[in-house]
Amino acid sequence: MQLTDQQLGFYSENILAFSREDKRKYQSQIDNLKEKLTNAIHANSSLRITKINQAGSWRKGTALKPKDGFEIDIDLIVYLDVAEATRSDVSTLHGIIVGLLRDVYGSKASDDFKESKKTVGIEFRTSGLKVDLVPVIPVQSPADYVWQPEVGGGGSFLTSPTKQLGFVLALKDRDPRYTSVVRLLKRWRNMAELRDELSSFTLELICAHIVGTQGPPPRIEEGLLRVLTYIATTELKQPVSFADAIRSCPSTASPVRIFDPTNNENNVTSRLGEQERRTIVARAADALETLNYARTVDAKGTTMECWKEVFGPSFRIEEV
């Protein structure tokens, strides 16, 4: 039994996505945080920060509401006024952001500020909102590009957060089912315990590649199955890159090669090893087999059981 766009759209909008009320509540808190940080920047030029922009899944409209221990995905890009030579000095970059946070939230406990190898996080205990602040260093050329610390630490890469956002927004305009497909894929990833292996950005880029080569899917279900089929059949051994990105894709021995749509030099999956690749492929193949079987049976109950096997017991569809 195939599921319609109305049925899967209900699941995407009402079960996976934030309600309008919750989104307004969290957005209000995000806006309040940005306003406080921006006011502090304007009041104290010694902070060496020029501006703050919102980014990530929340800005793109593909964020999943918190469920089963998975947190809200909020990112703020912090533009630093420092020399490009410090682009790999993560401790210095983080120190600038922590200084800003302490200037604004002097009463918060020190463990409310969480430093990782890429970001500085801040947690608001009353609402459960967690925000990652990503330090970047703007460059004069190319325009709108920045140096950003690598996820694993120890280096940096040239990218454009504004162009990345524009890339996804243009894709959403071309493919009206894109947002629902990405939400479904993120939920599958979480249930398959692949959160550390498959970033939201990686899933977005695989979707973008498939839309670019096959066109927008005619149905949400088809869009989901296309991605799972791509992962299972290519085994993620084929490089993925995008024509509008600057520079050239390097020769690399990385098992998975999916490149930043703003800079071909950046393999966004460079930290994935061979075992991670095999695990992703195996779990995509399992989900694909289950969902393909769900399409062949006439019994609605069996179809629903298959989808719940992939997406968890909270999977529901609108009755039509």
Side-chain angles (χ1 to χ4, degrees):
M1 172 183 167
Q2 295 185 4
L3 299 187
T4 66
D5 274 12
Q6 182 177 342
Q7 291 170 322
L8 288 178
F10 173 86
Y11 177 60
S12 172
E13 295 295 330
N14 294 277
I15 309 300
L16 297 181
F18 285 84
S19 68
R20 290 184 180 179
E21 180 180 350
D22 283 342
K23 191 163 186 177
R24 281 196 298 268
K25 179 184 71 174
Y26 284 110
Q27 187 62 55
S28 175
Q29 190 164 7
I30 296 167
D31 291 341
N32 183 55
L33 170 63
K34 281 187 61 182
E35 182 179 3
K36 286 185 176 181
L37 296 178
T38 300
N39 288 341
I41 292 168
H42 291 161
N44 185 358
S45 61
S46 66
L47 290 171
R48 295 186 290 172
I49 298 172
T50 58
K51 64 179 179 179
I52 296 176
N53 285 342
Q54 191 174 339
S57 297
W58 182 273
R59 179 74 183 277
K60 297 168 186 172
T62 61
L64 304 185
K65 62 184 174 184
K67 190 172 184 61
D68 302 328
F70 299 110
E71 301 167 352
I72 307 172
D73 186 11
I74 304 295
D75 292 319
L76 294 180
I77 305 294
V78 183
Y79 290 76
L80 305 184
D81 183 17
V82 298
E84 290 185 40
T86 63
R87 62 181 182 265
S88 298
D89 187 353
V90 175
S91 61
T92 295
L93 303 183
H94 284 183
I96 294 172
I97 294 179
V98 170
L100 170 64
L101 292 173
R102 291 197 180 284
D103 192 61
V104 175
Y105 296 102
S107 62
K108 289 185 73 65
S110 58
D111 61 358
D112 283 337
F113 306 129
K114 307 289 185 182
E115 294 187 45
S116 70
K117 291 183 178 180
K118 178 184 176 184
T119 68
V120 176
I122 181 171
E123 179 178 357
F124 298 89
R125 299 182 185 275
T126 54
S127 66
L129 180 68
K130 295 183 179 181
V131 180
D132 284 329
L133 290 89
V134 183
V136 300
I137 303 174
V139 301
Q140 288 188 344
S141 179
D144 291 328
Y145 278 76
V146 299
W147 288 109
Q148 182 174 322
E150 292 180 345
V151 173
S156 58
F157 58 91
L158 190 67
T159 189
S160 175
T162 56
K163 291 181 182 295
Q164 286 183 359
L165 179 61
F167 175 86
V168 172
L169 295 180
L171 186 62
K172 290 173 66 174
D173 287 340
R174 180 182 180 189
D175 176 10
R177 297 173 178 84
Y178 170 82
T179 298
S180 292
V181 171
V182 170
R183 286 183 189 145
L184 287 166
L185 286 167
K186 290 172 68 171
R187 178 60 177 172
W188 159 71
R189 173 202 63 186
N190 293 350
M191 294 306 298
E193 298 182 345
L194 294 171
R195 192 176 175 90
D196 291 336
E197 291 83 359
L198 278 175
S199 68
S200 296
F201 194 36
T202 298
L203 290 172
E204 291 167 2
L205 295 184
I206 294 174
C207 280
H209 173 69
I210 294 172
V211 171
T213 55
Q214 301 181 30
R219 298 167 53 248
I220 295 173
E221 183 180 83
E222 183 68 21
L224 170 66
L225 295 177
R226 279 183 182 184
V227 175
L228 294 175
T229 299
Y230 176 85
I231 295 173
T233 56
T234 67
E235 298 184 334
L236 293 178
K237 292 181 178 180
Q238 297 180 1
V240 172
S241 62
F242 301 91
D244 292 336
I246 63 172
R247 303 186 175 177
S248 301
C249 298
S251 298
T252 174
S254 299
V256 185
R257 291 163 293 163
I258 299 176
F259 295 96
D260 182 342
T262 74
N263 185 356
N264 283 315
E265 291 180 333
N266 302 333
N267 177 6
V268 303
T269 53
S270 60
R271 62 192 178 94
L272 293 180
E274 178 62 17
Q275 185 55 54
E276 287 86 356
R277 183 193 66 79
R278 291 175 181 269
T279 299
I280 294 168
V281 171
R283 293 182 186 172
D286 287 343
L288 180 63
E289 180 180 6
T290 300
L291 295 180
N292 274 334
Y293 174 72
R295 303 176 84 190
T296 67
V297 296
D298 293 329
K300 180 179 178 180
T302 303
T303 297
M304 290 296 293
E305 287 175 7
C306 291
W307 280 80
K308 287 183 178 182
E309 182 179 332
V310 175
F311 292 98
S314 64
F315 179 82
R316 288 195 293 116
I317 60 174
E318 185 176 31
E319 298 294 335
V320 293

